Every structure is written in C-alpha cells, then in structure tokens.
Amino acid sequence: MEVKKKDIRALTKEQLREFFVKQGDKAFRGNQVYEWLWQKSAYSFEDMTNISLETRQMLEANFVINHIKVDQMQRSADGTIKNAVRLHDDLIVESVLIPTATRTTACVSSQVGCSLDCRFCATSRLKRMRNLNPDEIYDQVVAIDNESRLYHNRPLSNIVFMGMGEPLMNYNNVLKAIDKITSAEGLGMSPKRIVVSTSGVPKMIRKMADDKVKFKLAVSLHSAIDEIRTSIMPFNATFPLNDLREALQYWYAATKNRITYEYVVWDKINDKRKDAEALVEFCKFAPSKVNLIEYNPIDDGEFQQANSKAIDMYVSVLEAHNITVTVRRSRGKDIDAACGQLANKS
Ligand code: SAH
C-alpha cells in the first residue's frame, strides 16, 4: 500500500530541524531545506542543489511539495495580469497583479470559492470548496512577484487580500501566510504594505486586535443601513452593522490604525443623501478612509453603477465631515480581473 506522503511545507522550521536530527543528520540541514522551500520557492527536491542526492531521495520518499502551478496567465491592455492557479488537488483560484505608476499590488485569494453571499460578487456564485493553506497563499504572492519583476521591472510592493474568499474565515492560514511573507526567511515584506479586506466578521476583527497584527484592515461596507446592507450582503443579518461597528471600535482602540472602507455606489440602491449620511454616522468614531470603487458588472444587470452626480454627492458629504475619500477606477476589466469578477471563467 502506498503511504500518503506529508506536505513538507506544513512543518515549521523547528520540526524540520528535528526531523533531520531523528534521521541522524544535522539540525542545520533543516535550515538549508527550509530556505529552499520558502526563500527560494523550490518546486522539487531535485532543485535543492546543495543537499546530497541521498538526502534528496530520502525527502522525496517521505514528503511532497504541494507547489501551486500557474495554469494560465492573462495580460490586460492596462498591464494588469491575472493568474489562474492550479492547486495540488486540481482546484483553481485566481490572483491578480495590478501595476500603477508607483506600486505593483498583488491581489490574492484566501479560499477556493466563498461561503458568503454578496449578491454583486461573481465569486459568491462559486461554492466554497476549501480554505487555502498558508503555502498556497504564499505561492500566489511569489508568482506575482516574479511576474512583476519580469513584466514591470520591479518587485511587488503591496498585497491585498481581495481575491476569492473571505480571509477572516480562513484566519489562521492567512496569518501564517502573512508571517512567512513578512519574515526575513520568506519575502521580507513590510506588514504595513499588506491589506486584509473583510466583509466584516466582528468576532475575527476583535481577534485581530487581540493578536496585535501589524497589517492593515479594509472593510467592504457598501451600505451603513442594515436593511439595505442585508439585501445586498445577506450575511449582514447574522453580523449586523452595530456588531460590526463595535468590533471596529475595539480594533481602533487597540491599534490606532485608520480604517479603510470599500464602497460601491449603485443606482437606486444606495445613491441617496441619506445613504451617504448614514456612512458618515457609521465611520465617524475613528479616522477613516472611504474608497468609492467602480462597480464591475457581473452579467445580469441587476446592479448598475450610480451616475457621477451620486458619486460627487458622496464625496462632498464625506469631505464635509473630514473623512478621506478616493474614487477608484477599475483595472483589468477586459480579462475579468477586476474586483468581484474572479469566478474561474477562463
Ligand atoms: N471577502 C472579502 C475580500 C474579497 S472581495 C471582502 O468582502 O472584502 C474584494 C472587494 O471587491 C470587496 O470590497 C468587494 O466588496 C468588492 N467587490 C465584489 N464584487 C464586486 C463587483 N462586482 N464590483 C466591484 N467591487 C466588487
């Protein structure tokens, strides 16, 4: 009977060192292999050229490296790149590289599909199949970093968890991936350049505050009126706005970090002055920034982007209350790579 081999990247550095000691080798060998696995992102044991053939064969007999594979890469006219990424069990997730004049941002997935039911988001139509492992999240970032160097002549500068899935519903693995991304033994990126975006899971926002995480938080709000928010994001019935705001107050008290809100203004849904005023009321407890993002239609036309008058109204109401507001243009729409369009279409 074939023994199921263990995923070597599920081991910590210490566990890997212990493994080698048990094999009668030096603990240091664990450090070398660890470096190959993470810093050098090796796809196979064969690549580990400073490890003896005998040791590589022993590793091969005991472990697998479940590296992701970029199945398909699409490039948009605006420089955006979308990767369809194949996982070891043949499931697919997507990640995106978004270049601007000053930064290149990786937008990565945290789950295969999503268990939330935001009615305007293409990913919500895919069933949540499973959580991504820390190494699968890490690999997406490495793949985008390589593409950034290759096609844009610069390393990746920022990461947003705005791909498929709800990162706070895969919290432990997201945290482990970020640890690796920010550690000197991984990519050495600053946590201040990482944004975790959530639909708003109050319990997990409190946990993030307790864990004293160093990355930034963005909340996909879209409405500050319960009835409207529940109609477009039905899970809001379980996590109503009041609970969300209390959790955010807790987060702000602990971190003193400004809170960013993602917000789409839709025609006849949330385009009235009372909607903008409710938003001000919701976020005035802490320094806040509102990103008004462009809606990316996902076929049936039920949701329509509001006209520029409505956007201007939001900007003036927010600015009158000293809330920072930016109006964001979408990127990569021609390859279905924009926010909410990730649905494994090609
Ligand atoms: N679950 C997380 C992260 C994934 S969604 C979250 O909700 O934050 C990433 C962002 O894209 C969110 O702000 C989401 O509200 C937004 N989004 C989803 N569908 C969209 C669409 N069709 N057009 C524009 N933005 C969309």
Side-chain angles (χ1 to χ4, degrees):
M1 200 186 80
E2 207 189 323
V3 188
K4 199 164 178 288
K5 295 184 196 174
K6 241 181 129 167
D7 173 7
I8 191 163
R9 286 190 298 172
L11 300 186
T12 61
K13 189 173 178 183
E14 212 32 60
Q15 287 168 328
L16 206 53
R17 284 164 56 87
E18 280 165 22
F19 171 80
F20 278 102
V21 172
K22 273 199 202 121
Q23 297 283 321
D25 202 337
K26 296 196 177 63
F28 171 69
R29 199 76 58 223
N31 299 11
Q32 286 180 310
V33 171
Y34 195 82
E35 191 178 322
W36 276 109
L37 291 173
W38 294 103
Q39 231 165 346
K40 299 183 186 158
S41 237
Y43 274 62
S44 74
F45 296 110
E46 229 177 282
D47 294 345
M48 304 182 177
T49 43
N50 62 350
I51 309 290
S52 75
L53 179 63
E54 198 190 338
T55 305
R56 280 186 269 150
Q57 284 170 342
M58 180 277 292
L59 289 172
E60 187 81 55
N62 285 281
F63 297 106
V64 284
I65 304 175
N66 284 334
H67 215 290
I68 63 155
K69 217 178 100 216
V70 177
D71 239 22
Q72 196 194 21
M73 189 195 89
Q74 285 171 278
R75 291 174 72 191
S76 156
D78 67 17
T80 303
I81 294 177
K82 180 169 81 169
N83 291 335
V85 163
R86 186 176 294 276
L87 309 174
H88 68 93
D89 50 4
D90 280 335
L91 292 171
I92 307 272
V93 292
E94 293 176 335
S95 19
V96 182
L97 178 158
I98 308 146
T100 67
T102 50
R103 38 171 86 176
T104 44
T105 302
C107 173
V108 297
S109 294
S110 55
Q111 299 181 309
V112 186
C114 190
S115 57
L116 298 182
D117 43 14
C118 307
R119 286 184 38 219
F120 46 82
C121 177
T123 308
S124 73
R125 297 178 183 177
L126 306 172
K127 219 177 96 199
R128 190 201 76 100
M129 306 293 284
R130 69 170 173 86
N131 285 337
L132 292 188
N133 294 326
D135 50 287
E136 293 169 328
I137 297 170
Y138 181 84
D139 288 353
Q140 291 177 66
V141 175
V142 172
I144 298 270
D145 184 35
N146 290 338
E147 289 167 353
S148 178
R149 289 168 199 268
L150 185 64
Y151 297 105
H152 297 282
N153 297 316
R154 51 189 170 169
L156 186 65
S157 61
N158 296 72
I159 303 173
V160 293
F161 281 79
M162 291 193 189
M164 294 173 157
E166 169 49 50
L168 295 194
M169 292 193 166
N170 184 17
Y171 179 72
N172 289 339
N173 289 351
V174 166
L175 219 59
K176 282 186 192 160
I178 293 178
D179 275 350
K180 210 64 87 181
I181 292 164
T182 53
S183 109
E185 288 169 337
L187 298 178
M189 277 183 76
S190 163
K192 294 201 172 63
R193 292 179 168 273
I194 302 177
V195 177
V196 168
S197 176
T198 178
S199 300
V201 189
K203 194 173 89 185
M204 300 316 294
I205 292 171
R206 287 172 189 270
K207 171 111 178 72
M208 278 171 58
D210 291 341
D211 288 346
K212 301 190 167 47
V213 299
K214 297 280 187 306
F215 49 80
K216 294 186 178 159
L217 174 67
V219 179
S220 302
L221 196 63
H222 304 306
S223 174
I225 299 173
D226 267 316
E227 198 189 343
I228 297 175
R229 194 167 194 259
T230 301
S231 74
I232 55 178
M233 303 168 84
F235 71 90
N236 184 68
T238 318
F239 307 124
L241 286 163
N242 203 31
D243 294 3
L244 177 58
R245 197 188 38 237
E246 278 174 17
L248 291 170
Q249 277 169 331
Y250 186 84
W251 159 265
Y252 180 69
T255 64
K256 294 282 176 275
N257 274 343
R258 176 169 85 170
I259 300 168
T260 299
Y261 297 95
E262 307 293 325
Y263 202 102
V264 179
V265 187
W266 287 285
D267 192 33
K268 298 191 182 64
I269 293 179
N270 57 354
D271 58 348
K272 303 282 176 314
R273 181 166 283 269
K274 72 164 177 25
D275 296 293
E277 282 165 358
L279 174 58
V280 168
E281 204 48 44
F282 183 88
C283 58
K284 69 179 186 192
F285 68 89
S288 304
K289 179 180 166 198
V290 174
N291 287 330
L292 294 177
I293 52 183
E294 194 182 332
Y295 176 56
N296 302 304
I298 55 157
D299 53 72
D300 49 20
E302 188 190 345
F303 289 87
Q304 304 278 348
Q305 165 86 37
N307 60 28
S308 56
K309 246 175 86 187
I311 306 286
D312 292 346
M313 179 275 291
Y314 262 89
V315 171
S316 71
V317 170
L318 290 165
E319 283 182 344
H321 289 85
N322 295 321
I323 295 170
T324 310
V325 50
T326 60
V327 181
R328 286 272 172 88
R329 244 182 359 104
S330 263
R331 305 288 305 272
K333 270 204 224 180
D334 54 339
I335 54 168
D336 281 336
C339 285
Q341 289 189 316
L342 302 184
N344 295 342
K345 267 207 252 177
S346 50

